[in-house]
Every structure is written in C-alpha cells, then in structure tokens.
Amino acid sequence: LKHPCPICLDNEEDAGEIGMCYSCGRMFCGSCNKSLAQRAVTHCPTCRGAQDVPPKEDVRRLRQLLARPPGRHTPVAQCSLGETYSLGIGAVKDAAEALRWFHLAAAQGYARAQFHIGTCYHEGTGVLQDSAEAARWY
C-alpha cells in the first residue's frame, strides 16, 4: 500500500473523505474518519492529541504542522488553513489569504484545493469572477 491508514491499514486515499490530526499530521482513511466521528472520539488514535479544540487552536496546530518538513500532510494542512481563512473560523476571514493557501496545496495536486480555487473563480471570491478559469480548476 502506498499510504496505509494507521487504524485499519487500508489505503487511506481509497475511502472517502480522509481525516487528519492537526497535532501529529497523521491521516486516516475516510471509513475510519467517519467511524471516529460517529463514535465521538475526542483524541487522535495515534498521538492522543485532543481533537475537539477551539478553532483558534486548530489554526495554531496547522501552522505548527506546516513548519515541519514537507510531507504527505502538507497539502492537506495547507488546504485546511485556506478553509479557515475562507470561512473565518479560527482566523479572520480573508479571501486572498485563503486563495494563497489553496494555490499552495493545488500546486501539489490536491484536488480539494483545486475545487476551492474553482469555486473562488466561479463566485468571484478574492478574484475577479471568471467562468473559464473556474472550469479549468474544476
């Protein structure tokens, strides 16, 4: 397996929306992520870091994670930080800063970030509205 999920040992990239611990950077397959959410697990199963923290703490952890050497966690963390700026949850809402983080993740081929960039162009959020550019990113 290219990237085994640390919980079930299946390929984390094959099963729905992956989860990630912002403390240790470990990623979980979509099946395990969903199961953890359904069981209301409040700590990372690998590092025991608290998962139910205030949004500002999530942003602090993402920044610490991005200060580490680049790895598989990097585009996921970059996109997640972009989402915090896009939504204004845990950070001041800032469309330009969100777009910057989305571009960093998209440059590494992270599809979720590419979708967010397409949405920004489609809606004209942080950029001039441009349907052709939106279609390129979708």
Side-chain angles (χ1 to χ4, degrees):
L1 295 174
K2 185 175 180 183
H3 300 295
C5 172
I7 299 171
C8 68
L9 301 178
D10 281 340
N11 189 346
E12 70 190 23
E13 295 168 352
D14 289 342
E17 187 164 327
I18 62 172
M20 183 174 80
C21 173
Y22 294 164
S23 292
C24 68
R26 293 302 301 259
M27 296 189 299
F28 312 104
C29 73
S31 297
C32 289
N33 187 40
K34 184 177 179 182
S35 176
L36 291 170
Q38 288 173 338
R39 292 183 295 146
V41 173
T42 59
H43 289 78
C44 172
T46 59
C47 76
R48 298 291 179 220
Q51 298 299 299
D52 190 18
V53 296
K56 285 187 179 185
E57 176 64 12
D58 272 345
V59 171
R60 186 188 70 74
R61 288 180 179 183
L62 282 168
R63 290 191 178 284
Q64 284 182 328
L65 197 56
L66 289 167
R68 291 176 28 188
R72 290 184 307 109
H73 66 274
T74 304
V76 179
Q78 289 168 331
C79 185
S80 295
L81 194 54
E83 289 168 346
T84 66
Y85 283 108
S86 177
L87 300 171
I89 298 174
V92 176
K93 192 170 186 173
D94 184 337
E97 187 68 3
L99 199 56
R100 182 175 84 81
W101 286 106
F102 291 148
H103 273 287
L104 288 170
Q108 296 169 74
Y110 192 55
R112 184 177 181 137
Q114 294 168 346
F115 174 81
H116 284 308
I117 293 170
T119 301
C120 288
Y121 278 102
H122 177 76
E123 297 174 353
T125 305
V127 292
L128 292 176
Q129 190 172 15
D130 185 336
S131 297
E133 188 67 9
R136 188 174 82 76
W137 286 101
Y138 285 137

